[in-house]
Amino acid sequence: MTDLRILLATPHAGYEQRVRQAFGGLLNGDLRRWDAALGAVSPDGLLRQLSDAQPDVVAIGPGLDLDTALAMAAQLEQDRPEISVLLISETEPALWERAMRAGIRDVLDPSAVDADVRAAFDRALHVAEGRRRNLVGVPDAAPSGRIITVLSPKGGSGKTTLASNLAVGLALAEPNKVAIVDLDLQFGDVSSALRMNPETSIVDAVRAPGHQDAMTLKTFLTAHPSGLWALCGPDAPAEGELVTAEQAKAVVQTLAGEFRYVVVDTCAGLTEHTLSVLEVSTDLILMCAMDVLSVRSLRKEVDALEQLGMTHQRRHFVINRADSKVGLDIKDVEATVGQPVDVAVSSSRVVPLSMNQGSPVVESEPRSQVAKQFTSLVHKFAEQPQQSGFSLLRRSGR
Ligand SMILES: Nc1ncnc2c1ncn2[C@@H]1O[C@H](COP(=O)(O)OP(=O)(O)OP(=O)(O)O)[C@@H](O)[C@H]1O
Ligand SMILES: [Mg+2]
């Protein structure tokens, strides 16, 4: 096995020299071009190229037609998610959306100057490093449920609304297989959104001796009529400080050993607790409202996640109040955030009404348009294959 870092999937012989030049001779054996003796540059040839090497980055192009390049990227995204993929292609408006859907994180123009080439490859290497660290960092535990964390940089963007609708929607389909955790430790309102009067909270849970044990932890959950189980937040904001970030992560992980889905509602932004839980999350739901400030803040949050190496989670993007007439177009939002929109939720008065009654729209108003939109997200999760843990992706020797 070689210690290759970058594989150039291109028929273009001169491009290797371009990249080497951009790195000022630093790359040596870390860089390799597609071995033409093993077949043409194509999705079929990828596995042969990767059979004796585990690169961190595969750069696809230049000199390939876009369909071939995107098919290769999609194959890598599916089979080798630890590899970070860079597309070398002339950028055109329609390209970004297709590239994003194929799991490509960055597009570099073939005629870019040295500094830009170096910066794009450095970014891709950095992302790969974070992915590998996260994938290797997850212990070889028993098969684990999906941990779905709802994130938004701004308060009031609809995180609790989404988390409670998703959790109840999943629980209605799979009773007793879903837990929700209120990680908004100061002002969490999952219990009101679900009209529950919890006798115990996450604070009681982490104080209890033996709370790492799943059976003990389950005694701190509150049952919801839909078949959902909730670990609620404390009554008093000050009590939230009694839960450490490590404890929050451990609790969520333990629940994932017992439930097929653990939905985590968070407070605005990237707090220490949220980041800690993200380390073990399999899925991330990014949320923002349809206004310029929210969209830009979300872009900054996505950049921060990249810098922190939080790139191993499957990402989903939900826009809330998507029909607000504010002159923004979904395509602009996708381009700014760098992520295709999975579900656009309309603005509707049935949402606050249902929140006030403590009954998410998926159960109280299932025929409403918003309930159908939340349900389409539920189906997305229910349809995707269960993750079998990350241990298969463990890399040796690093
Ligand atoms: N699609 C929607 N249409 C109408 N109202 C909505 C919609 N989504 C959320 N709301 C309302 O917006 C308010 C804020 O929603 P929510 O509490 O879910 O946001 P949040 O992101 O959890 O806020 P916080 O950061 O304070 O926890 C609530 O009153 C909710 O009913
Ligand atoms: Mg909330």
Side-chain angles (χ1 to χ4, degrees), residues 367-384:
R367 287 160 189 244
S368 64
Q369 189 188 23
V370 267
K372 287 180 183 156
Q373 290 158 343
F374 284 125
T375 303
S376 71
L377 187 67
V378 171
H379 288 156
K380 243 184 134 248
F381 282 99
E383 280 162 12
Q384 281 173 352

Side-chain angles (χ1 to χ4, degrees), residues 159-160 184 189 265-266:
K159 296 179 292 298
T160 304
D184 184 350
D189 43 13
D265 185 22
T266 66

Side-chain angles (χ1 to χ4, degrees), residues 150-164:
V150 182
L151 266 194
S152 168
K154 299 265 186 199
S157 48
K159 296 179 292 298
T160 304
T161 306
L162 177 91
S164 50

Side-chain angles (χ1 to χ4, degrees), residues 121 124 147 158 183 198 227 272 275 303 345:
F121 275 89
I147 300 175
L183 200 67
E272 190 194 353
L275 287 172
D303 288 343
V345 178

